[in-house]
C-alpha cells in the first residue's frame, strides 16, 4: 500500500491539464467516490493496526495534495479564460489630453511681461464698482453719456453700484492709497451694455497702465508706447498718435500701429490705410491726480488703456468676438502651440 501511495503522490505532483474538462477528468480519477484515493481509503480498513498510524497520515497528506493540486489547475485555467491575451501591460499609457491656455490669457500675459520689463507691476481692482472710482474721480462730467443706462450696467442707484466699464477705475483706487512713484499695469474684465455681435460684446478685457512721478512727460509716454508696440508686434512696427479726447487725460491721444498684416502697404484689414488703432492714452489730467490726493504741481503722469480682444485679433486674426467666450474646444485648441 505504501508503494501505491508513493506512486500516486508522484503522479499527482506532475499533473497538468490543458482545459477545464481535463481538470474535471482528473478530479474524477483521483477524488471521486470511486476514484484512486477513495479506493485506497477503503483498503485502509484492512491494514494491520500497527501500520494504521503511519499510513493514515500519508493517506491524508495524499488527499490534501490531490485536492490542492486539482484546485490550482482549475483556477489557472479559469483565469486564462478571462484575461485578454492581447493586452500588453508594458505599453506606455495613452497620452492625457492637456488643456490649452485661452488666447486672451496668452495675450494678457504677454502684455504684462512687456510692461514688467519696464518696471510696471500688476494691480487689480473690483469688477463691481461705485460711481466715484469709475467716473467721478476720473473727471467725467455729471451728465457724461457713459454713465447712462445705455452703456453701464447698474446694480443699484443712489448709491450707485455698477459693473466697471473700464479698468481706469483701478488707477484711482491705486492713486488714492499710494503716493508716487506709481508704475502699475491693471488687467481685468469690463462690462458695457452693448448688443452682442461679431464686433461687440457686453463684456471684454482691458489692460491699463499708469505711471505717475516727478517730471513724467509726453515723450516718456511716446517712448513707452513705441517699446510696447515693437515688443508686441515686431521690431519694424511703426506707431502714430492721433489727438483724441478722454475725460481723465489731457492731452489725450489714440495710438495706431502700422498694419501688421500688410506691413503698412494697405489691405482690407486696415481698410487700405496702412494703420490700425490699438489703444487710448494721454497725460493724466491734474484734476484726476487732485481727486485722488496726489499733488498735481509736484507730480505728473501718463496713462494708457487697451482692449485685450483687440490686440488678440491683431495677432491671431480672430474674426468674431463671440469666439472668445463660447469655449468651443476646436477654437481653443488652435492655440495649443502657443501654450
Ligand atoms: N478707459 C478708456 C476706455 O475704456 C481707455 C483709456 C484711454 C484708458 C486713455 C486710459 C487712457 O488710461 O489714458 O476706452
Amino acid at each position: 500500500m505504501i508503494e501505491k501511495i508513493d506512486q500516486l503522490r508522484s503522479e499527482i505532483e506532475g499533473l497538468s491539464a490543458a482545459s477545464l474538462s481535463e481538470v474535471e477528468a482528473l478530479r474524477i480519477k483521483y477524488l471521486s467516490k470511486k476514484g484512486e484515493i477513495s479506493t485506497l481509503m477503503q483498503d485502509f480498513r484492512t491494514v494491520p493496526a500497527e501500520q494504521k498510524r503511519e499510513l493514515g497520515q500519508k493517506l491524508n497528506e495524499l488527499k490534501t495534495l490531490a485536492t490542492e493540486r486539482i484546485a490550482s489547475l482549475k483556477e489557472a485555467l479559469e483565469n486564462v479564460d478571462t484575461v485578454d491575451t492581447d493586452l500588453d501591460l508594458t505599453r506606455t499609457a495613452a497620452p492625457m489630453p492637456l488643456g490649452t491656455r485661452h488666447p486672451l490669457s496668452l495675450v494678457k500675459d504677454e502684455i504684462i511681461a512687456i510692461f514688467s520689463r519696464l518696471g510696471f507691476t500688476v494691480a487689480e481692482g473690483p469688477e463691481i464698482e461705485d460711481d466715484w472710482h469709475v467716473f467721478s474721480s476720473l473727471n467725467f462730467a455729471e451728465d457724461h453719456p457713459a454713465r447712462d443706462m445705455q452703456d453701464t450696467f447698474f446694480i443699484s442707484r443712489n448709491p450707485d453700484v455698477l459693473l466697471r466699464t473700464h479698468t481706469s477705475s483701478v488707477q484711482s483706487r491705486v492713486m488714492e492709497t499710494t503716493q508716487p512713484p506709481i508704475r502699475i499695469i491693471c488687467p481685468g474684465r469690463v462690462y458695457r451694455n452693448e448688443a452682442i455681435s461679431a464686433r461687440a460684446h457686453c463684456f471684454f478685457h482691458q489692460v491699463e497702465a499708469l505711471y505717475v512721478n516727478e517730471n513724467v512727460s509726453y515723450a516718456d509716454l511716446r517712448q513707452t508706447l513705441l517699446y510696447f508696440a515693437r515688443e508686441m508686434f515686431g521690431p519694424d512696427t511703426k506707431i502714430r498718435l492721433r489727438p483724441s479726447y478722454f475725460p481723465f487725460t489731457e492731452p489725450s491721444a489714440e495710438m495706431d500701429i502700422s498694419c501688421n498684416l500688410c506691413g503698412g502697404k494697405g489691405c482690407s484689414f486696415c481698410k487700405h490705410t496702412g494703420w490700425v488703432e490699438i489703444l487710448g492714452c494721454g497725460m493724466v489730467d491734474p484734476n484726476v491726480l487732485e481727486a485722488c490726493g496726489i499733488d498735481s504741481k509736484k507730480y505728473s503722469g501718463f496713462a494708457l488703456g487697451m482692449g485685450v480682444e483687440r490686440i488678440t485679433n491683431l495677432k491671431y486674426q480672430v474674426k468674431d468676438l463671440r469666439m472668445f467666450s463660447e469655449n468651443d474646444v476646436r477654437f481653443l485648441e488652435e492655440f495649443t502651440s502657443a501654450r
Side-chain angles (χ1 to χ4, degrees):
M1 182 161 196
I2 201 142
E3 283 118 61
K4 180 72 181 164
I5 292 176
D6 286 344
Q7 181 216 325
L8 281 180
R9 182 206 304 282
S10 56
E11 235 180 85
I12 289 166
E13 276 168 352
L15 282 185
S16 68
S19 68
L20 286 171
S21 55
E22 277 183 40
V23 177
E24 180 59 9
L26 290 173
R27 189 191 67 76
I28 291 167
K29 179 167 184 225
Y30 293 104
L31 293 170
S32 67
K33 270 193 187 137
K34 289 186 183 150
E36 303 263 16
I37 294 174
S38 304
T39 316
L40 275 182
M41 294 280 193
Q42 269 154 28
D43 295 350
F44 179 71
R45 291 193 201 132
T46 61
V47 161
E50 67 273 15
Q51 291 181 16
K52 270 208 154 83
R53 196 177 144 83
E54 191 200 347
L55 278 176
Q57 210 173 0
K58 284 197 175 252
L59 213 51
N60 276 335
E61 279 167 15
L62 183 69
K63 192 173 180 188
T64 314
L65 176 74
T67 313
E68 281 173 7
R69 181 81 197 136
I70 286 168
S72 78
L73 285 176
K74 188 174 176 199
E75 193 185 287
L77 284 164
E78 275 170 354
N79 284 346
V80 165
D81 281 351
T82 54
V83 166
D84 177 358
T85 46
D86 288 339
L87 196 65
D88 178 2
L89 296 175
T90 62
R91 227 177 52 189
T92 46
M96 262 222 279
L98 278 184
T100 59
R101 305 290 307 277
H102 193 281
L104 293 179
S105 299
L106 292 170
V107 170
K108 179 197 74 182
D109 288 348
E110 199 175 338
I111 298 169
I112 292 172
I114 295 170
F115 277 92
S116 54
R117 292 201 280 279
L118 295 173
F120 286 75
T121 51
V122 172
E124 281 176 343
E127 292 180 14
I128 299 174
E129 265 291 9
D130 49 37
D131 175 275
W132 170 256
H133 292 101
V134 178
F135 298 125
S136 298
S137 65
L138 294 169
N139 205 30
F140 278 79
E142 207 49 60
D143 54 358
H144 194 283
R147 295 167 182 251
D148 202 285
M149 294 294 274
Q150 303 280 299
D151 289 307
T152 307
F153 286 117
F154 285 92
I155 292 169
S156 69
R157 310 230 52 178
N158 283 327
D160 286 344
V161 179
L162 47 99
L163 297 181
R164 66 179 177 195
T165 56
H166 56 180
T167 44
S168 305
S169 53
V170 187
Q171 284 188 24
S172 42
R173 283 198 174 267
V174 171
M175 285 193 281
E176 274 174 353
T177 54
T178 323
Q179 281 298 305
I182 296 170
R183 214 189 266 115
I184 50 158
I185 175 138
C186 326
R189 182 176 283 182
V190 301
Y191 301 83
R192 287 184 199 177
N193 194 355
E194 303 247 13
I196 298 172
S197 72
R199 299 173 60 86
H201 211 293
C202 61
F203 64 80
F204 53 99
H205 301 79
Q206 289 188 331
V207 176
E208 187 90 8
L210 172 74
Y211 177 40
V212 184
N213 206 346
E214 287 177 35
N215 301 319
V216 176
S217 71
Y218 195 78
D220 296 327
L221 169 61
R222 211 190 139 86
Q223 195 59 31
T224 304
L225 291 170
L226 183 63
Y227 175 77
F228 167 72
R230 289 189 171 162
E231 289 290 293
M232 194 76 198
F233 296 104
D236 297 329
T237 310
K238 294 184 192 60
I239 65 166
R240 145 179 119 168
L241 289 165
R242 285 180 289 101
S244 185
Y245 173 77
F246 299 102
F248 35 91
T249 44
E250 181 59 36
S252 304
E254 270 166 328
M255 179 172 95
D256 298 340
I257 58 163
S258 50
C259 177
N260 64 324
L261 290 190
C262 62
K265 286 189 212 74
C267 65
S268 59
F269 188 75
C270 59
K271 302 198 187 75
H272 302 281
T273 61
W275 296 96
V276 285
E277 185 201 316
I278 66 162
L279 56 78
C281 58
M283 301 305 293
V284 181
D285 193 303
N287 287 344
V288 175
L289 294 175
E290 294 295 336
C292 298
I294 290 176
D295 183 352
S296 64
K297 301 214 171 50
K298 188 168 177 206
Y299 296 109
S300 56
F302 68 69
L304 59 101
M306 67 187 100
V308 182
E309 279 81 353
R310 174 111 188 111
I311 308 281
T312 310
N313 282 348
L314 283 172
K315 269 189 96 87
Y316 297 116
Q317 283 93 53
V318 178
K319 298 261 155 48
D320 189 330
L321 269 184
R322 290 169 289 196
M323 304 282 269
F324 288 125
S325 48
E326 277 168 358
N327 282 337
D328 184 329
V329 174
R330 290 164 302 179
F331 168 71
L332 296 175
E333 281 181 345
E334 287 187 35
F335 299 89
T336 312
S337 60
R339 184 157 47 203

